[in-house]
Amino acid sequence: MEALERVQRSVQGGDGPRHDRESGVIPADAGLDSVCDDEIETVEAILDGYPARTESIIPALQDVQDEYGYIPRFAMELIASECDSTMAHVYGTTSFYSQFYLEPRGDHTIKVCTGTACHVQGADEVSESFCDELDVDLEEITEDGTFTVSHVRCIGACSLAVAVMVGDEVYGDVEPDGVDDIIEEYRDS
């Protein structure tokens, strides 16, 4: 949360037209010309630990996502420059892997498995129940910034259908009536 609070402060003090002053979060499409020097220095410090070659792109993306919770455009620009690559290559890598997020996320991402077994057992109803309870659509952030609800193709827990992941925790046999209990575990954490 410290990184998010720092980002919120830096955005609130910025002058760029792309800053989302309402939410305090750097917009995903904010380029290098739209963020403050502190944010650039943060990403440059992350990149200092990696050799300047394309093999460094994925670990750099992972570290940036650990810092911000998603991969903002300005970070991809810096990674492309520092890893001797192109923005197209970095964006292509980022968008290829479902582990990377191109938009800001809530503190907790609720991943509802929509693989075949979970789909047959009612994954769509479970997903709708989470969204209704949190008053969001898929991939939206709750108003308090705590949750994002997403679909994932398979989490490898087919015997637990419908399976849901929050962080590293897996919940099995989830039914629409049980989503409240899962949400409450994370609401104030």
Side-chain angles (χ1 to χ4, degrees):
M1 285 311 299
E2 182 179 325
L4 179 58
E5 290 168 1
R6 182 173 41 75
V7 169
Q8 289 171 338
R9 283 194 305 272
S10 69
V11 170
Q12 289 164 351
D15 295 328
R18 291 180 161 180
H19 288 150
D20 183 354
R21 293 177 194 280
E22 293 291 320
S23 69
V25 176
I26 295 174
D29 63 346
L32 282 170
D33 59 342
S34 299
V35 296
C36 67
D37 291 342
D38 288 347
E39 299 312 323
I40 293 170
E41 290 171 9
T42 297
V43 174
E44 287 176 339
I46 290 170
L47 297 174
D48 274 350
Y50 293 106
R53 57 182 186 223
T54 57
E55 291 83 0
S56 300
I57 292 173
I58 290 177
L61 289 169
Q62 290 169 326
D63 286 351
V64 167
Q65 184 160 286
D66 286 346
E67 179 71 21
Y68 292 98
Y70 71 107
I71 314 290
R73 180 184 174 92
F74 84 91
M76 287 191 282
E77 292 173 352
L78 287 171
I79 290 169
S81 174
E82 294 297 319
C83 293
D84 197 25
S85 186
T86 64
M87 180 64 177
H89 183 97
V90 173
Y91 178 78
T93 303
T94 306
S95 62
F96 178 80
Y97 293 103
S98 63
Q99 75 183 63
F100 295 126
Y101 302 120
L102 293 168
E103 297 288 334
R105 316 286 293 176
D107 295 338
H108 304 286
T109 299
I110 298 169
K111 299 176 183 173
V112 179
C113 181
T114 58
T116 303
C118 290
H119 175 74
V120 169
Q121 292 295 322
D124 289 343
E125 291 80 9
V126 169
S127 177
E128 286 177 23
S129 186
F130 274 114
C131 289
D132 289 346
E133 188 65 33
L134 296 169
D135 195 28
V136 293
D137 290 325
L138 281 177
E139 305 300 329
E140 283 186 350
I141 303 171
T142 55
E143 199 169 305
D144 63 0
T146 304
F147 297 102
T148 300
V149 181
S150 295
H151 283 170
V152 292
R153 292 288 175 218
C154 185
I155 61 173
C158 299
S159 64
L160 301 175
V162 173
V164 171
M165 278 187 80
V166 183
D168 292 332
E169 190 73 31
V170 176
Y171 298 87
D173 302 318
V174 177
E175 296 184 9
D177 293 345
V179 302
D180 291 356
D181 295 336
I182 295 172
I183 291 170
E184 284 308 313
E185 285 185 43
Y186 297 91
R187 192 169 292 280
D188 295 323
S189 61

